[in-house]
């Protein structure tokens, strides 16, 4: 940034000229003019200076009308005359021969929000294209292949796996973790951000959760791919680092355990906690009783304190001073810390301080390793701004419901609680909030719900064509057999694969077939959103038929596809509240 200020006569630091535009939420660089500006408008770019009334007409016709300057002569006022061949006089207020001021290289301000410890990236600004490229050079990327998405969409819900490894980098980390660790998945949070951005859920996954790690296709440094064999009945943290596994393997393991697809990952190590907390000037935490932990070297008085750097790292690693001194209690402490970090990053104290924002930009980008799908700073900015739209009161922290491992006499690991966890996973997968949120587009939701209201035809009167639009192979035939042999829907046909792959099963019908569609929705357990009023198609006999397309959500013939509308009750906290660790 100093380089941009050198050579200026007024010696004004560009950082002092960054202004937050309240209309866009982004910072703008507003430079002080080097000389008084004339009230006479300059010719439009690309038009001759002395163009006549007809010149550039095509350009003007394609542009929106521009506001006229008060100093611009009206159409009936002739300009000053000059003799033929005489040089044109310069416009008033400008001296002949004066050079144009150089354009600033700072073309725009980058404002981005997101996550680290690997949890939160929030609100960082930096001036100029060159600085953006500099930040991009800070970010490390890993190609996880088909484990994640190739890009990021602002119009969809998204899931990012936040990984904190026990790998040690940076000075001062000699006393932490396993000296020879390859970097296991020590802290794991699956962050789900809803499609409408009204809420988000941060689901912590215990490192000591017993799982089956699937086979993992892994890209090697030479560009080739190697499949690392899976292992059964092992700790979740071995899904990263062990046997050369990359974050893509951890993403695949999360999907295998929860059924929730992971779009992207963000990963950081011990050093990230220290640099990020120092960049924002410390994070507020609270403990119910004084802490003097010899293992982590954390010393805090009872009540509220501010931690940063070494002390912040000690806080998130401490477990012997809280609860039952286990990893599950440490997870709660980490969730409290991350909520506080989010509030600090989103605070006006951070967002209106250019020096702090630059420091945060440097710390965050250097701390992160991400997948290639979000590896550009411009994409990270988009991710961050979408997360910034979610109110902190609707960001829920919770943990995968678990039980002590029954196979152990000395309890050291846990297993998924199969009576509670599936409902949690389904709520996240179906974009259901764990907090009360104001529902958007209530009128539209009511109209959708009304599709299931009305009369039902008899099963024998339903005429339906079945397509496979993303379900497992053979699903269309399986559904046909079930409908004909079990439910009495005899006028049904199986017509192979659909033209497109769908994430959700749909049922399309014409208005006069609504009673058939409602009956079939009852039989299959389809929600109102699965019904698509539109057109029917002609079946093999030339008769109109409703169209059932089985999507990726198809679970088997006769298995209800009704999505949950309310999340289950869970032990949780939200990012807007301070909870004292105990």
């Amino acid at each position: 940034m100093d380089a941009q200020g050198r050579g200026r006569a007024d010696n004004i630091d560009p950082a002092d000229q960054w202004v937050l535009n309240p209309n866009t939420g982004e910072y703008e660089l507003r430079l002080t003019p080097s000389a008084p500006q004339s009230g006479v408008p300059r010719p439009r770019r690309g038009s001759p200076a002395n163009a006549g009334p007809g010149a550039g007409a095509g350009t003007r016709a394609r542009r929106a009308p521009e506001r006229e300057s008060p100093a611009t002569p009206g159409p009936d006022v002739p300009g000053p005359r000059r003799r033929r061949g005489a040089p044109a006089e310069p416009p008033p207020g400008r001296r002949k021969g004066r050079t144009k001021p150089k354009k600033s290289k700072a073309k725009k301000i980058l404002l981005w929000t997101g996550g680290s410890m690997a949890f939160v990236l929030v609100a960082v600004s930096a001036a100029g294209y060159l600085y953006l490229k500099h930040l991009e050079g800070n970010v490390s990327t890993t190609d996880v292949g088909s484990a994640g998405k190739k890009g990021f969409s602002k119009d969809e819900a998204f899931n990012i796996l936040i990984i904190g490894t026990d790998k040690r980098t940076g000075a001062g980390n000699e006393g932490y973790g396993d000296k020879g660790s390859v970097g296991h998945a020590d802290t794991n949070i699956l962050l789900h951000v809803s499609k409408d951005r009204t809420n988000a859920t941060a689901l912590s996954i215990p490192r000591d959760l017993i799982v089956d790690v699937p086979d993992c296709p892994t890209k090697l440094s030479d560009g080739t791919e190697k499949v690392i064999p899976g292992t059964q009945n092992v700790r979740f943290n071995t899904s990263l680092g062990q046997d050369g596994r990359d974050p893509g393997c951890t993403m695949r393991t999360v999907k295998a355990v929860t059924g929730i697809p992971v779009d992207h990952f963000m990963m950081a190590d011990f050093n990230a906690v220290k640099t990020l907390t120092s960049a924002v000037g410390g994070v507020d935490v609270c403990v119910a009783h004084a802490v003097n932990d010899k293992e982590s070297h954390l010393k805090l008085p009872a009540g509220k304190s501010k931690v940063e750097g070494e002390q912040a790292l000690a806080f998130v690693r401490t477990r012997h001073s809280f609860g039952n001194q286990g990893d599950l209690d440490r997870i709660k402490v980490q969730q409290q810390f991350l909520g506080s970090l989010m509030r600090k990053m989103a605070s006006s104290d951070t967002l209106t301080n250019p020096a702090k924002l630059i420091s945060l930009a440097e710390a965050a980008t250097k701390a992160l390793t991400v997948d290639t799908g979000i590896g550009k700073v411009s994409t990270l900015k988009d991710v961050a701004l979408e997360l910034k739209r979610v109110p902190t009161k609707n960001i829920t922290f919770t943990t995968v419901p678990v039980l002590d491992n029954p196979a152990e006499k000395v309890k050291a690991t846990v297993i998924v609680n199969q009576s509670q966890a599936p409902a949690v996973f389904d709520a996240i997968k179906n974009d259901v909030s764990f907090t009360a949120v104001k529902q958007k587009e209530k009128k539209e939701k009511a109209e959708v719900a009304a599709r299931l209201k009305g009369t039902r035809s008899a099963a024998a009167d339903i005429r339906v064509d079945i397509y496979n639009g993303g379900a497992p192979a053979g699903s269309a035939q399986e559904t046909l057999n079930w409908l004909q042999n079990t439910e009495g829907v005899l006028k049904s046909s199986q017509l192979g694969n659909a033209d497109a792959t769908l994430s959700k099963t749909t049922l399309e019908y014409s208005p006069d077939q609504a009673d058939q569609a409602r009956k079939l929705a009852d039989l299959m357990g389809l929600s109102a959103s699965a019904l698509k009023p539109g057109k029917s198609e002609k079946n093999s006999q030339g008769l109109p038929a409703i169209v059932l397309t089985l999507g990726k959500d198809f679970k088997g013939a006769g298995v209800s596809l009704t999505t949950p509308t309310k999340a289950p009750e869970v032990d949780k906290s939200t990012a807007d509240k301070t909870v004292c660790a105990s």
Side-chain angles (χ1 to χ4, degrees):
M1 298 305 300
D2 291 338
Q4 292 185 6
R6 284 197 290 269
R8 294 177 183 267
D10 49 13
N11 289 323
I12 295 177
D13 187 339
D16 297 331
Q17 297 171 303
W18 296 349
V19 179
L20 180 64
N21 187 331
N23 296 321
T24 64
E26 301 209 9
Y27 282 83
E28 297 174 356
L29 185 61
R30 299 183 182 175
L31 300 178
T32 304
S34 57
Q37 301 299 306
S38 168
V40 179
R42 299 180 185 178
R44 289 181 182 147
R45 183 178 300 175
S47 300
N50 298 321
T59 301
R60 284 194 295 273
R62 289 192 298 270
R63 293 185 177 180
E66 297 183 7
R67 185 177 297 173
E68 299 261 17
S69 168
T72 305
D76 298 328
V77 180
R81 294 185 178 181
R82 62 183 177 88
R83 290 174 305 191
R84 184 176 298 173
E89 293 185 5
R94 295 185 60 186
R95 294 195 298 265
K96 183 178 180 181
R98 180 177 177 84
T99 58
K100 293 183 179 179
K102 292 183 178 180
K103 295 178 181 178
S104 168
K105 290 183 179 179
K107 295 181 179 178
K108 57 185 177 181
I109 293 295
L110 171 66
L111 177 67
W112 52 282
T113 313
S116 181
M117 182 192 97
F119 181 44
V120 147
L121 274 169
V122 158
V124 179
S125 77
Y129 174 79
L130 294 179
Y131 191 66
L132 184 150
K133 286 298 180 183
H134 162 73
L135 289 177
E136 205 153 277
N138 288 345
V139 181
S140 300
T141 60
T142 297
D143 186 351
V144 296
S146 60
K149 289 187 175 180
K150 298 300 182 183
F152 175 75
S153 172
K154 298 179 183 180
D155 302 320
E156 298 176 351
F158 61 91
N159 301 313
I160 297 181
L161 180 62
I162 312 300
I163 306 172
T165 79
D166 58 1
K167 190 172 183 178
R168 304 182 313 174
T169 63
N173 291 323
E174 292 80 7
Y176 296 111
D178 179 4
K179 183 177 181 179
S181 175
V182 293
H184 294 109
D186 196 54
T187 299
N188 310 279
I189 298 175
L190 180 61
L191 174 65
H192 169 80
V193 179
S194 69
K195 182 176 181 179
D196 62 7
R197 308 302 188 247
T198 61
N199 66 93
T201 303
L203 179 70
S204 291
I205 303 171
R207 66 177 187 177
D208 296 326
L209 179 67
I210 296 300
V211 298
D212 292 341
V213 177
D215 292 346
C216 299
T218 304
K219 294 288 182 71
L220 304 180
S221 56
D222 62 1
T224 60
E225 186 174 274
K226 174 185 177 182
V227 176
I228 300 176
T231 52
Q232 287 71 47
N233 203 38
V234 295
R235 294 178 191 242
F236 180 88
N237 68 342
T238 62
S239 65
L240 177 68
Q242 198 83 2
D243 301 322
R245 294 185 178 119
D246 67 7
C249 191
T250 309
M251 295 166 69
R252 296 176 194 275
T253 304
V254 169
K255 184 177 181 181
V257 172
T258 66
I260 303 170
V262 183
D263 303 319
H264 305 285
F265 83 88
M266 293 181 179
M267 180 173 69
D269 56 27
F270 287 157
N271 211 43
V273 180
K274 300 199 299 187
T275 57
L276 282 171
T277 53
S278 295
V280 297
V283 173
D284 296 324
V285 297
C286 181
V287 294
H289 54 78
V291 174
N292 187 358
D293 194 311
K294 295 180 180 179
E295 296 287 335
S296 67
H297 312 295
L298 178 67
K299 292 183 180 181
L300 289 177
K304 295 181 179 180
S305 299
K306 181 177 289 186
V307 296
E308 67 175 278
E310 201 75 40
Q311 202 175 29
L313 179 57
F315 183 82
V316 298
R317 297 196 71 251
T318 294
R319 64 175 176 175
H320 296 290
S321 297
F322 304 119
N324 295 321
Q325 303 185 15
D327 189 51
L328 295 179
D329 290 298
R330 177 166 59 178
I331 285 175
K332 293 180 180 179
V333 173
Q334 292 172 345
Q335 291 173 346
Q336 180 220 123
F337 174 85
L338 293 173
S340 183
L341 178 60
M342 293 179 70
R343 293 193 298 272
K344 186 60 178 286
M345 286 181 166
S347 69
S348 58
D349 178 57
T350 299
L351 296 178
T352 60
N353 188 325
K356 191 174 288 188
L357 288 172
I358 290 176
S359 179
L360 185 55
E362 293 286 352
T365 51
K366 288 178 180 177
L368 288 176
T369 298
V370 302
D371 60 281
T372 52
I374 55 173
K376 292 185 177 180
V377 170
S378 57
T379 307
L380 287 173
K381 175 207 70 173
D382 291 339
V383 173
L385 289 175
E386 293 305 304
L387 178 58
K388 185 171 178 283
R389 293 172 55 190
V390 182
T392 54
K393 67 178 181 179
N394 290 330
I395 299 178
T396 301
F397 291 100
T398 190
T399 304
V400 172
V402 296
L403 298 170
D404 287 332
N405 188 351
E408 296 176 333
K409 291 183 179 180
V410 178
K411 304 304 180 185
T413 61
V414 293
I415 61 172
V416 172
N417 185 336
Q418 294 297 342
S419 66
Q420 297 179 7
V424 174
F425 301 154
D426 283 346
I428 294 174
K429 189 162 48 176
N430 290 289
D431 208 18
V432 179
S433 176
F434 283 80
T435 59
V437 297
K438 292 182 179 180
Q439 296 295 328
K440 292 184 176 180
E441 303 170 347
K442 288 186 177 180
K443 181 178 178 181
E444 181 179 340
K445 290 180 181 293
E447 290 175 352
V448 170
R451 295 172 190 170
L452 285 176
K453 295 179 180 179
T455 59
R456 268 76 170 160
S457 70
D461 293 334
I462 298 174
R463 187 177 290 108
V464 57
D465 287 343
I466 307 167
Y467 292 88
N468 190 329
S475 294
Q477 185 62 47
E478 177 190 353
T479 301
L480 176 68
N481 295 338
W482 172 73
L483 286 174
Q484 290 184 341
N485 300 326
T486 305
E487 300 299 332
V489 183
L490 302 179
K491 301 174 184 178
S492 48
S493 304
Q494 187 270 110
L495 298 180
N497 293 330
D499 294 333
T501 299
L502 303 179
S503 58
K504 302 284 187 181
T505 296
T506 63
L507 184 58
E508 189 172 4
Y509 57 95
S510 61
D512 61 341
Q513 297 170 312
D515 57 342
Q516 296 181 41
R518 285 190 284 266
K519 179 60 177 179
L520 187 57
D522 291 345
L523 295 176
M524 297 197 61
L526 293 175
S527 63
S529 61
L531 274 62
K532 307 294 181 184
K535 297 180 180 179
S536 60
E537 69 176 21
K538 296 291 182 65
N539 67 4
S540 56
Q541 287 80 39
L543 300 172
I546 59 179
V547 179
L548 173 66
T549 306
L550 305 177
K552 291 182 178 180
D553 62 337
F554 180 77
K555 301 174 183 177
V559 180
S560 175
L561 291 176
T562 302
T563 58
T565 58
K566 184 178 180 181
E569 292 295 325
V570 294
D571 184 11
K572 65 185 180 182
S573 61
T574 52
D576 64 319
K577 296 179 180 177
T578 299
V579 180
C580 293
S582 59

